[in-house]
Amino acid sequence: MNTDVCVVGAGPAGLALSLMLLRSGVRVTLLERSSGLRRDFHGEILQPGGQRVLDDLGVLAGARARGGCDLAGFQVLQDDRLLLDIDYGRLAAPYDHLLALPQRHLLAELLDACGRLPGFTLLEGHRIGALLRDGGRVTGAVATGRDGTSVTVPAHVVVGADGRFSRTRRLAGIDAGRSEAFDQDVVWFSLPAAGLATGYVRVHRTARGALLVHDTHPDRLRIGWTLPHRTWNAAAARGIDAIRRELAAELPRFADLVHDGLRGLADLKLLDVFAAQAGQWVGDGLVLVGDSAHTHGPIGAQGINLALQDAAAAHPVLVDAVRTGDAGRERLLPYERRRRPVAAAVHRMQRMQAKALLGRGGPVATRLRSRAAALVTRTPIGARITRTVAYGTDPVSVRTDLFTAGVPAGQRD
């Protein structure tokens, strides 16, 4: 099986990059270990920067039509008192809101678009088992199917888009660069909540900690319960009844939903929160994108958006590498040089946000948070911060001028 680019991982970054490359006349083979994209995804909030990348690709409207929720912005509440209100209505339309979009809807729309283009091969249920090498250069991958059959995929470039625990990165011998930069882990669950949509992403602060709450499709609330780092096992040992009582006390507005909808520990999914920056993002014949290159916490809803923007930044570099026949590290390095500082800036921002929004503290800390919140909400500083969170320090647009096939109608001359 010969291809130009072998992409490992059919998450948002892998599928979006595959679509960009296919539209640029590049042959793509996509390896995905799950079947039917049946994976457990937690992050689903799309910032305006991510929405714009998908719109450039012509898939945002279709993904949204499958089911999603527009959210007006972020709010922080201290014991049900509004502390901070970051209004995305300050931003220019049409990206003047957040979008809660279940990843199965996004991935299905991207996959459908890829499947309509020539040069696309999807190997579902195949896990990368080895990297092909010629000396120090990566020249493809070997994938293993569920039946144990191996498939060899020679390629000019292998792209690791297989997430925070990337097997591609590990096979390449690249250190993940993990850092215990956050004091919290997050336990996610969702509850049926017909008629109780909030229209916001909210952080509910209490004396015990903080909970993240936002609407999700269809008519549900997704809730992230923050716990001190590595204390989930002790919490789980108390049993589901004790957890229900604690959560109901911290979210009295949704107490009935918690008691009725949270039935067992299996409904709770732990997210081990950490920061990571891989030692290198590119090598001879190799590129890492999204969580494979850098991992972030959930605060500020940055993960999917950074991954989509990584894909948009890597796209022209990979097209150039394929067209010139040169996929050496130096040819691929402009992508890493552009995006590494962006990931580092988000790490710094998230560490500050986590301490300010999720950290514990007494009355003095609460007063300090209130003053800082007023500064953000009521001054032009807030508008600048909102735009930085929404688009990042390096807003990326898709290079649609490189497209030669399957161009969305709105992008044709």
Side-chain angles (χ1 to χ4, degrees):
M1 180 179 295
N2 288 295
T3 195
D4 295 318
V5 177
C6 177
V7 177
V8 184
L15 273 167
L17 179 57
S18 295
L19 182 54
M20 294 174 204
L21 293 171
L22 290 164
R23 288 203 171 132
S24 303
V26 175
R27 296 173 300 167
V28 175
T29 295
L30 178 61
L31 309 182
E32 169 53 40
R33 67 178 181 178
S34 68
S35 297
L37 300 181
R38 290 190 296 270
R39 287 190 285 162
D40 188 19
F41 297 104
H42 300 296
E44 60 180 44
I45 299 293
L46 280 171
Q47 293 278 2
Q51 294 176 47
R52 186 169 69 179
V53 169
L54 295 174
D55 220 2
D56 288 346
L57 279 171
V59 298
L60 179 61
R64 177 65 179 82
R66 294 174 185 260
C69 303
D70 292 345
L71 303 171
F74 286 97
Q75 291 184 337
V76 179
L77 291 84
Q78 178 73 45
D79 297 318
D80 281 339
R81 178 173 60 87
L82 185 63
L83 185 66
L84 174 65
D85 188 356
I86 299 180
D87 179 12
Y88 272 54
R90 296 178 176 188
L91 302 174
Y95 312 119
D96 53 356
H97 59 276
L98 297 160
L99 176 60
L101 183 66
Q103 281 207 19
R104 65 184 182 276
H105 295 172
L106 171 58
L107 301 183
E109 190 70 18
L110 286 166
L111 184 58
D112 284 354
C114 288
R116 292 192 292 269
L117 293 171
F120 181 58
T121 301
L122 173 64
L123 294 178
E124 265 188 312
H126 283 72
R127 184 180 186 184
I128 185 170
L131 291 171
L132 300 176
R133 292 183 180 275
D134 182 1
R137 172 188 170 82
V138 173
T139 58
V142 178
T144 304
R146 294 190 183 278
D147 61 357
T149 303
S150 292
V151 180
T152 300
V153 186
H156 291 298
V157 187
V158 173
V159 176
D162 46 344
R164 53 181 18 212
F165 302 113
S166 171
R167 186 171 174 83
T168 308
R169 182 187 63 222
R170 190 164 65 251
L171 290 169
I174 298 173
D175 183 72
R178 175 168 173 149
S179 169
E180 304 300 335
F182 302 104
D183 297 330
Q184 302 88 13
D185 288 332
V186 180
V187 177
W188 288 104
F189 59 98
S190 70
L191 301 171
L196 292 176
T198 67
Y200 287 89
V201 177
R202 283 178 170 162
V203 177
H204 291 260
R205 288 189 47 80
T206 69
R208 295 188 178 188
L211 294 104
L212 314 175
V213 181
H214 68 80
D215 310 333
T216 188
H217 178 84
D219 295 325
R220 298 181 71 87
L221 290 178
R222 183 173 290 276
I223 299 175
W225 178 30
T226 65
L227 294 171
H229 197 35
R230 292 180 174 169
T231 63
W232 165 240
N233 287 339
R238 302 202 313 266
I240 191 62
D241 290 337
I243 289 173
R244 271 197 298 256
R245 288 194 295 271
E246 180 174 338
L247 291 170
E250 294 196 15
L251 289 173
R253 178 182 174 187
F254 305 121
D256 289 344
L257 298 182
V258 170
H259 283 298
D260 295 340
L262 199 57
R263 304 197 174 178
L265 292 175
D267 294 334
L268 301 165
K269 306 296 182 184
L270 174 67
L271 176 66
D272 177 17
V273 178
F274 60 89
Q277 275 261 36
Q280 65 183 78
W281 296 12
V282 301
D284 292 335
L286 179 72
V287 172
L288 302 177
V289 297
D291 278 359
S292 299
H294 49 88
T295 302
H296 303 266
I299 191 71
Q302 294 294 318
I304 303 175
N305 303 280
L306 286 169
L308 291 171
Q309 290 181 327
D310 278 0
H315 162 230
V317 175
L318 289 169
V319 170
D320 175 66
V322 170
R323 290 180 179 175
T324 61
D326 177 5
R329 173 174 164 78
E330 289 301 314
R331 179 72 67 170
L332 302 172
L333 202 53
Y335 154 71
E336 179 177 345
R337 286 175 175 158
R338 178 176 183 179
R339 296 298 296 170
R340 183 180 282 276
V342 177
V346 171
H347 281 139
R348 291 192 296 271
M349 179 180 68
Q350 285 194 328
R351 284 194 292 269
M352 291 188 292
Q353 289 174 323
K355 290 178 180 178
L357 301 181
L358 305 182
R360 287 167 165 76
V364 173
T366 297
R367 285 196 297 273
L368 291 174
R369 288 189 180 97
S370 297
R371 291 173 184 172
L375 181 68
V376 171
T377 302
R378 300 170 189 167
T379 70
I381 294 174
R384 292 198 295 272
I385 292 174
T386 302
R387 182 166 181 82
T388 299
V389 172
Y391 288 98
T393 58
D394 174 34
V396 182
S397 297
V398 178
R399 285 283 306 276
T400 55
D401 59 299
L402 297 176
F403 289 174
T404 59
V407 180
Q411 296 168 2
R412 294 177 188 145
D413 294 333

